[in-house]
Amino acid sequence: MLRFLIKRLLFAVPTLLAVLTVVFVVARIMPGDPAQVIMGDQASAEAIQALRARLGLDRPLWVQYFEFMGGALTGNWGSSMVTGRAVLGEVLNVLPFTIELTFVSVLVGAIIGVPLGVWSALHRNDTIDYVTRIGSLLGLSFPAFVMAIMLLLVFAIQLRWLPVISSGGDGSLADRAKHLVLPAANLGIIMAAYITRVTRSSMLEVLGEDYIRTAHAKGVPSMAVVWRHSLRNALIPVVTVVGLYLGILIGNSVLTEIVFNRPGLGKLIVGALTQRDYTMLQGLMVVYTFIIVVTNLLTDLTYGFIDPRVKYQ
Amino acid sequence: MSAADATAPAQDGGRARAMRQMLRALNANKTSWVGIVTMAVVILIAILAPVLTSHDPLEQNILDKLKGPSAEYVLGTDSYGRDIWARLVYGAQISLWIGTVSIAIAMIIGSIIGMIAGYFGGKLDLVIMQAMDVLLSFPSLILGLMVVAMLGPSIGNLIFAIALTAIPPFARIARAPTVSVKERDYIEACRALGYSHPRILVVHILPNIFPEILVMGSLWLATAIRVEASLSFIGLGVRPPTPTWGGMIREGFEHILDSAWLSIAPSIAILIVVFALNMIGDGLRDVVDPKLKGERGG
């Protein structure tokens, strides 16, 4: 187990370095001199030169590269070119909001999606199955911001059940939960649509296996066959796919945070992009890369919990 | 590819067989047909835009702003007094254009990359697929955001950004069958006959992987239209006043409290198109290749 973990971590290092290099290159080929952008059109050439020196933009590119790589890996991400505050601090401030949102969404997605997928598979080609399939296809056709706006309209503006803006409040746990309901429901429903479909097809595959027929034949109660014998085996592809959908989830969380005006990485990145805040962008890319690498690792580890036959080698 | 296909002559039969397979898939699946008919209507509406509305989508009529539906303005007007129906219809042209062109580019480049990687194998394969994996590990919306922010929002740059995010999945889809097909006897025979590599790839391997690529294309077209709308909604899409559905929702969202209709109309338009495309792709996929399940982009 430990050896597997170490091996996987070592395997993640080249990916991490490659992505970081891409991030550096991308941030540097952005048109427009960041110093010029920060100072504005009226700034004198000397002032811009001074700022360039302060930001380290006047040094050779390879020095900047190694400094960036070293900084990225040690958590020294510099300070925002716009606000002047430490990038790492800014990121850590909002990171809990994004993690909270995505975690609860995946949970919601699994709680709705897995039983629905199983139910659909057990009633293959019935009306139930048909409705579930069309419904889940509709669910994943929603752009995240469209569903967010619909939820906002119905539950916050028309029914007034929940707050329109999902940040602020008095900071109490109940308050925080209230602000989380709509954004998490938004991401959760879309996630549930994906999970339902994978669970269904994966269940159908398992239900056709010989050992399921054997279990039925030897008189194992149907419920036990479904939940213990089938679902456990069917969940592995589901976990893989949930890991694969992380990219979608991250993209959708950006849109969700914008619609609900909720603090998080998404709002940070859109702000950084529009203001050309290079250091902030670099920092955010590093965070996203870390998140993806860690999630892939977790996905691999989850297999072992679901299926003890998986050997970590 | 099923076992039966493996023994079938690949020569001229390949393309015809691929087409037959697609047609069979369509007949077997009713939802695909619903999707196809819906898309046909949407495409027709986009093409016939000048006939369907007498309004200019850019023409502002400040005296008529935020009007409800009427005989003059079928779906009412936005906050600049522009006709919403006209903007929707012309917006369809832009969404479909950006989606189709970007996915066509991704399909062509991705397939070439994947086929080359699979066909030549070895270190080249390793390097190419590693690069694709790095590209793939970026969430596509974030990658799209970065590219557009870098190059500036224009239709060309949007197409480039969306195509870039869609290339890796096509490369993957094209690579896997190439690896298995290249070992077959008839490819060996082609090599023995001294056919050039490009000829073998295009004439003898491409027809075999074509159905998969086409199915992926329809699924990714849905994604492309969704990403385009998302970028426009964030404000990094085609610049206003050009009508785009995402942009219309963005503008409508500012008036969400009093004129919700402004954002609902384009939302429904996006939903119909993406849903229809997903219905087509999903139906095709079920029949053409069950292995493709789960290969869906964001």
Side-chain angles (χ1 to χ4, degrees):
Chain A
M1 178 81 184
L2 190 68
R3 265 187 57 188
F4 168 80
L5 198 72
I6 292 168
K7 207 167 158 184
R8 282 294 279 115
L9 276 174
L10 286 178
F11 210 70
V13 170
T15 315
L16 196 62
L17 293 180
V19 176
L20 288 179
T21 307
V22 172
V23 169
F24 176 81
V25 172
V26 163
R28 291 306 132 143
I29 57 175
M30 277 199 178
D33 180 355
Q36 177 83 60
V37 172
I38 295 168
M39 306 285 281
D41 294 334
Q42 308 298 320
S44 67
E46 294 86 53
I48 289 172
Q49 201 49 47
L51 185 66
R52 282 177 62 86
R54 196 161 64 77
L55 295 172
L57 293 170
D58 56 341
R59 280 170 299 168
L61 214 53
W62 65 270
V63 176
Q64 291 186 43
Y65 173 70
F66 281 108
E67 230 168 50
F68 164 71
M69 293 298 268
L73 295 172
T74 52
N76 178 16
W77 297 351
S79 50
S80 161
M81 286 184 180
V82 176
T83 62
R85 285 195 287 258
V87 170
L88 186 62
E90 296 270 285
V91 168
L92 290 181
N93 269 342
V94 297
L95 193 60
F97 289 97
T98 298
I99 290 180
E100 178 186 80
L101 175 62
T102 41
F103 185 76
V104 175
S105 313
V106 173
L107 211 63
V108 170
I111 290 171
I112 302 174
V114 171
L116 211 55
V118 172
W119 197 42
S120 187
L122 291 176
H123 294 90
R124 187 181 192 175
N125 294 336
D126 276 3
T127 317
I128 291 169
D129 185 30
Y130 198 70
V131 171
T132 314
R133 275 162 65 191
I134 295 289
S136 58
L137 199 62
L138 180 65
L140 57 83
S141 298
F142 265 98
F145 66 99
V146 169
M147 188 178 285
I149 290 174
M150 303 277 168
L151 289 174
L152 198 69
L153 264 175
V154 175
F155 294 102
I157 295 175
Q158 292 295 323
L159 299 173
R160 297 177 181 279
W161 287 352
L162 292 154
V164 173
I165 290 173
S166 294
S167 59
D170 55 16
S172 71
L173 205 64
D175 193 62
R176 200 162 166 173
K178 220 160 85 185
H179 285 102
L180 184 64
V181 173
L182 281 184
N186 180 45
L187 283 181
I189 293 170
I190 296 174
M191 210 58 203
Y194 285 104
I195 293 178
T196 305
R197 297 181 77 75
V198 199
T199 310
R200 177 184 173 273
S201 61
S202 178
M203 266 307 268
L204 283 179
E205 217 157 274
V206 173
L207 287 174
E209 297 279 348
D210 287 342
Y211 58 81
I212 298 300
R213 211 174 42 208
T214 312
H216 275 300
K218 72 176 187 188
V220 177
S222 299
M223 284 308 273
V225 174
V226 170
W227 295 109
R228 229 182 29 239
H229 297 252
S230 312
L231 186 59
R232 234 185 139 119
N233 289 297
L235 274 184
I236 294 180
V238 177
V239 172
T240 316
V241 168
V242 171
L244 279 178
Y245 289 155
L246 181 75
I248 301 179
L249 192 62
I250 289 177
N252 285 346
S253 72
V254 172
L255 294 164
T256 308
E257 283 167 5
I258 292 171
V259 172
F260 291 104
N261 199 13
R262 191 185 147 83
L265 293 181
K267 279 197 71 186
L268 216 52
I269 195 170
V270 172
L273 278 169
T274 45
Q275 295 170 304
R276 293 191 184 282
D277 190 343
Y278 289 55
T279 37
M280 181 59 87
L281 265 185
Q282 284 177 355
L284 283 165
M285 287 300 142
V286 176
V287 177
Y288 278 126
T289 314
F290 273 123
I291 292 177
I292 287 159
V293 168
V294 169
T295 313
N296 287 342
L297 197 63
L298 286 177
T299 312
D300 284 357
L301 289 178
T302 317
Y303 297 152
F305 291 111
I306 296 172
D307 185 355
R309 286 172 308 179
V310 174
K311 293 222 168 59
Y312 295 111
Q313 274 164 1
Chain B
M1 289 294 115
S2 68
D5 293 327
T7 49
Q11 303 286 359
D12 46 277
R15 210 177 308 263
R17 180 162 40 82
M19 286 316 293
R20 269 205 308 279
Q21 208 173 4
M22 298 297 269
L23 284 176
R24 212 170 46 227
L26 280 177
N27 274 327
N29 199 298
K30 284 191 208 92
T31 39
S32 303
W33 275 112
V34 177
I36 287 172
V37 171
T38 312
M39 274 319 287
V41 172
V42 171
I43 291 168
L44 216 61
I45 288 176
I47 293 171
L48 295 177
V51 182
L52 290 169
T53 172
S54 52
H55 288 280
D56 180 340
L58 302 181
E59 184 195 68
Q60 302 186 3
N61 250 323
I62 216 72
L63 289 176
D64 282 341
K65 71 171 189 173
L66 297 173
K67 282 266 163 65
S70 62
E72 166 92 34
Y73 305 106
V74 187
L75 291 178
T77 58
D78 69 4
S79 54
Y80 295 95
R82 294 174 300 198
D83 183 52
I84 292 180
W85 170 244
R87 289 181 69 73
L88 267 187
V89 170
Y90 282 97
Q93 290 183 346
I94 291 175
S95 282
L96 292 176
W97 173 253
I98 292 178
T100 315
V101 175
S102 56
I103 292 308
I105 292 172
M107 257 165 101
I108 294 167
I109 297 178
S111 307
I112 293 173
I113 291 176
M115 278 165 59
I116 288 175
Y119 183 74
F120 293 104
K123 280 217 177 74
L124 184 73
D125 184 21
L126 209 69
V127 170
I128 289 179
M129 292 326 282
Q130 194 67 47
M132 289 293 119
D133 279 350
V134 168
L135 205 55
L136 202 62
S137 70
F138 270 85
S140 50
L141 185 72
I142 307 282
L143 193 65
L145 275 176
M146 290 200 351
V147 172
V148 177
M150 227 162 56
L151 304 174
S154 71
I155 293 186
N157 292 341
L158 267 175
I159 290 175
F160 172 70
I162 296 171
L164 191 67
T165 65
I167 286 174
F170 281 103
R172 272 192 173 179
I173 280 296
R175 180 186 169 275
T178 307
V179 170
S180 66
V181 168
K182 75 166 180 185
E183 302 298 335
R184 302 244 175 90
D185 291 341
Y186 65 85
I187 300 294
E188 285 293 326
C190 289
R191 269 194 221 119
L193 285 170
Y195 290 176
S196 67
H197 290 311
R199 178 172 171 181
I200 295 177
L201 280 171
V202 173
V203 180
H204 303 284
I205 293 185
L206 184 62
N208 286 292
I209 62 175
F210 198 63
E212 277 100 332
I213 294 175
L214 217 55
V215 173
M216 277 283 280
S218 63
L219 287 172
W220 269 85
L221 185 55
T223 304
I225 288 177
R226 219 175 46 202
V227 171
E228 184 271 323
S230 304
L231 289 172
S232 299
F233 175 72
I234 291 173
L236 285 165
V238 183
R239 277 190 202 283
T242 312
T244 60
W245 292 346
M248 287 172 75
I249 299 177
R250 176 187 170 82
E251 286 164 14
F253 189 51
E254 290 163 16
H255 302 270
I256 189 91
L257 290 172
D258 44 356
S259 314
W261 178 244
L262 297 184
S263 37
I264 293 178
S267 294
I268 292 173
I270 295 174
L271 196 59
I272 289 174
V273 168
V274 177
F275 191 33
L277 285 169
N278 274 334
M279 281 198 273
I280 299 174
D282 208 64
L284 286 181
R285 179 181 55 182
D286 280 353
V287 187
V288 169
D289 192 351
K291 283 194 304 270
L292 280 171
K293 273 181 184 136
E295 287 281 352
R296 174 185 289 279

